[in-house]
Amino acid sequence: MATRPSTDSGRFGRRTFFKSMLFVAGAAAVGGVSACSQNEGGTRRGQPEPRGATAQPRPLPIPPLYTGELKGSTRSFELTAQRGEFEIVEGTKTATWGFNGAWLGPTLYMRRGETIDMTVTNNVGEPTVVHWHGLHLPAAADGGPALIFAPGEQWRPTWKIEQPAATCWYHPHPHEISALHAYRGLAGGLIIADDESDALDLPRDYGVDDIPVIITDAKFTDDGQLDETIDPTYGLLGTTPLINGITKPRLTATTRRLRLRLLNGATMRFHHLELGTPFHVIATDQGLLERPIEADAILLSPGERAEIIVDLEPGKDLTLRSTGVPNGGGLPKEETTDGFGLRDTFDLLDIVAPAQDAPAQDAPASREEPGALPTKLVDKHDANADAAPTREFRLNGFQINEQSMDMARVDFAIDHEGPEIWKVTNENADWPHNFHIHNARFAVRAVEPLGGNAEASIDFTHGWHDTINIPPLSTVTLLVEVGYYPDPTLAYMYHCHMLFHEDQGMMGQYVVTRPNEEPALGPAGHDHHAV
Ligand code: C2O
Ligand code: CU
Ligand code: CU
């Protein structure tokens, strides 16, 4: 039996430092206070030591950058989901899944304006499907659960990149087993570039000063295999955090300025990330901010991304740490807070700074003092929401608006271009949730704590998102812009991105139609793909 979440607002009286992608500690730093120093270096009592934690660090693996094949303005990719074996922990071979390799996938690179021609081959022996998280594209290319395809089959979606530069990702989306397929290793990064972002003086030499940092986790059986026991409350929450697929990684920097593309690809775990020194956030899920924002910490709920700029001092090494979500994420200090791992702390990634005496002829950039960051990154985008329709979503247990996901049900249609206002409420007092919308970006307009708790204020004004944490007993107001690709026959998803919650049915479907057109879903798994 799952522990059922509570909706009793009387249990919610503490200060919530909640935010998602928002800069709690950055705000605290203005007052000269570190929001999280009590966690520094410590491990919560009773927290199991992650497997491999005592081993020698290994060099951070960088997933290969896969630029596909460019012909004119069409870029083609071939991805094969396959099985393999990988040393997630040094010295132990673990059976894994991956794309074009044993474990995880290459980082896909594409540019705004290009047409993408994707071929995905399913060689994992089970039906699956791949979703391009963060992309705006026709539903037939989105990779939702209706597009699941059989082992041995290929799926060939195509779409045009019509969105700004961003760090996105791809992962499986088969109905009710997305978490398991992602956990086994079907996940990879996806970089969208454009001319505007390339013109900015920001690091973008992939694997050198532009580094993917993909955070996932695992738990292991005694013989070193992935433990696939799904806890009825906490799902596949791993006890061993992984960066780019391994334990205990070390990045040896050759330049003093790094851009880290952080992706929380964990199925259930929230990460409140710190480096022990301030850094600059330059991008959220859906691309660059208007300007760099200084911060001491950033919270990423499952599925969220951020790009940060870290300036290294010669000889001063850093560690990327997960320091526990401030105030336990606003949940009561009871077993669920610990069960969801919200207070867990981990050392994730050691970063070795260039040495004082780095030989300049070998690595001229390594001693170069980083210049000032650009003060402006992208133009402010003012969406006029005066005429925007409003929708409400109440998250409770494993349901949204008292309903579980039904692939045959369309929850609503969006039959217009232009923004909408979505108000999303976490009705639970003691369960975390977050919220992700396919084929969309949103700005956070407001976060209103329920129950008169006025202290849960967050800095919600920055950036475009596609996934956001919803604090317990709070309502988040989102200005949503969906990609307008009318197709009454196929749906897009919105869901909690704690993948166990999604798999349990905490998901709904919308379709995009022409004005006044009725949705008319086709049968699931029909001929959107051929062998
Ligand atoms: Cu990463 Cu349906 O999402
Ligand atoms: Cu998505
Ligand atoms: Cu949830």
Side-chain angles (χ1 to χ4, degrees):
M1 265 301 288
T3 304
R4 301 304 303 183
S6 163
T7 52
D8 171 11
S9 57
R11 298 176 67 181
F12 181 74
R14 261 172 298 265
R15 177 162 186 188
T16 51
F17 256 102
F18 237 107
K19 50 139 216 173
S20 179
M21 305 298 314
L22 303 153
F23 311 108
V24 162
V30 174
V33 187
S34 164
C36 296
S37 51
Q38 74 275 13
N39 286 319
E40 195 102 339
T43 297
R44 178 172 61 76
R45 255 177 67 190
Q47 180 187 335
E49 182 81 334
R51 200 170 173 112
T54 54
Q56 279 303 311
R58 284 181 287 170
L60 177 73
I62 304 292
L65 187 70
Y66 183 21
T67 57
E69 196 182 320
L70 188 63
K71 276 204 196 109
S73 62
T74 299
R75 200 182 281 269
S76 311
F77 295 89
E78 290 182 12
L79 279 182
T80 300
Q82 61 193 67
R83 296 178 178 228
E85 249 185 6
F86 194 82
E87 283 190 34
I88 301 172
V89 177
E90 194 165 25
T92 306
K93 285 203 163 32
T94 301
T96 53
W97 289 9
F99 289 104
N100 298 2
W103 178 229
L104 304 178
T107 300
L108 308 181
Y109 175 92
M110 43 194 81
R111 298 184 66 86
R112 186 176 197 173
E114 291 174 349
T115 296
I116 304 303
D117 183 354
M118 183 71 70
T119 301
V120 187
T121 304
N122 176 0
N123 278 348
V124 292
E126 293 179 24
T128 195
V129 66
V130 184
H131 164 59
W132 321 101
H133 179 131
L135 272 65
H136 303 204
L137 72 195
D142 182 56
L147 296 172
I148 192 163
F149 60 108
E153 274 191 22
Q154 284 187 335
W155 174 48
R156 296 196 58 180
T158 179
W159 69 89
K160 190 167 178 201
I161 303 288
E162 297 181 303
Q163 66 191 94
T167 300
C168 298
W169 65 302
Y170 58 102
H171 64 79
H173 224 298
H175 191 36
E176 297 174 335
I177 46 166
S178 292
L180 189 59
H181 284 196
Y183 178 80
R184 287 173 175 166
L186 294 185
L190 190 163
I191 294 173
I192 298 175
D194 63 15
D195 295 346
E196 290 77 1
S197 66
D198 282 357
L200 294 166
D201 186 12
L202 294 171
R204 58 169 187 282
D205 193 352
Y206 182 82
V208 177
D209 59 10
D210 183 347
I211 310 287
V213 178
I214 301 175
I215 310 170
T216 60
D217 51 54
K219 44 187 182 156
F220 293 95
T221 59
D222 289 342
D223 60 349
Q225 299 308 304
L226 290 175
D227 181 350
E228 297 188 347
T229 314
I230 299 176
D231 182 278
T233 302
Y234 308 118
L236 280 162
L237 183 82
T239 45
T240 299
L242 308 173
I243 304 294
N244 297 351
I246 70 162
T247 56
K248 196 86 188 194
R250 171 190 282 165
L251 170 67
T252 301
T254 56
T255 60
R256 285 184 53 186
R257 173 166 285 168
L258 295 177
R259 174 192 208 157
L260 303 182
R261 295 182 188 257
L262 305 171
L263 155 62
N264 184 352
T267 67
M268 288 297 275
R269 197 173 269 291
F270 289 60
H271 286 285
H272 181 260
L273 301 169
E274 294 186 70
L275 282 156
T277 188
F279 51 85
H280 284 88
V281 181
I282 55 165
T284 48
D285 300 328
Q286 286 281 314
L288 292 166
L289 303 173
E290 288 162 41
R291 60 189 163 84
I293 307 270
E294 195 181 53
D296 290 329
I298 188 161
L299 176 67
L300 296 183
S301 70
E304 286 186 72
R305 291 88 65 209
E307 295 175 31
I308 66 172
I309 298 288
V310 183
D311 286 339
L312 299 163
E313 289 297 328
K316 244 187 105 195
D317 300 347
L318 300 177
T319 301
L320 178 69
R321 291 197 171 92
S322 185
T323 57
V325 182
N327 196 34
L331 278 70
K333 230 188 199 112
E334 288 163 27
E335 76 277 13
T336 53
T337 319
D338 288 349
F340 284 110
L342 294 170
R343 294 180 201 277
D344 291 350
T345 60
F346 300 102
D347 286 359
L348 296 176
L349 172 67
D350 290 340
I351 300 174
V352 179
Q356 298 277 17
D357 54 357
Q361 69 277 19
D362 293 354
S366 67
R367 291 197 297 188
E368 221 167 84
E369 172 118 33
L373 280 171
T375 51
K376 193 191 132 198
L377 300 173
V378 291
D379 287 333
K380 190 173 170 60
H381 169 96
D382 274 315
N384 182 353
D386 293 351
T390 299
R391 302 182 195 277
E392 291 185 5
F393 303 84
R394 285 169 290 105
L395 312 183
N396 197 328
F398 295 133
Q399 296 190 313
I400 300 176
N401 295 344
E402 280 94 45
Q403 285 190 300
S404 296
M405 167 73 174
D406 177 347
M407 286 174 63
R409 184 187 73 234
V410 175
D411 292 280
F412 55 91
I414 295 179
D415 70 351
H416 62 96
E417 292 190 71
E420 300 204 340
I421 299 292
W422 291 21
K423 290 177 178 282
V424 189
T425 301
N426 177 355
E427 294 188 332
N428 297 130
D430 54 0
W431 269 24
H433 292 295
N434 72 356
F435 194 74
H436 167 54
I437 312 173
H438 286 211
N439 180 46
R441 66 175 190 173
F442 54 74
V444 182
R445 281 286 171 99
V447 178
E448 292 156 296
L450 304 179
N453 185 330
E455 283 185 281
S457 62
I458 62 168
D459 184 348
F460 51 78
T461 58
H462 299 296
W464 289 97
H465 307 257
D466 56 51
T467 309
I468 189 136
N469 173 55
I470 314 284
L473 302 176
S474 295
T475 297
V476 173
T477 302
L478 310 175
L479 179 121
V480 180
E481 296 181 347
V482 305
Y484 192 67
Y485 304 101
D487 177 354
T489 71
L490 271 167
Y492 296 100
M493 311 297 125
Y494 53 90
H495 55 88
C496 179
H497 215 289
M498 298 173 76
L499 291 184
F500 179 62
H501 292 188
E502 175 199 321
D503 285 341
Q504 291 295 303
M506 197 164 202
M507 175 154 67
Q509 307 197 101
Y510 74 93
V511 295
V512 173
T513 61
R514 289 172 194 87
N516 303 315
E517 186 182 28
E518 288 297 317
L521 283 193
H526 64 130
D527 50 19
H528 291 281
H529 40 78
V531 182

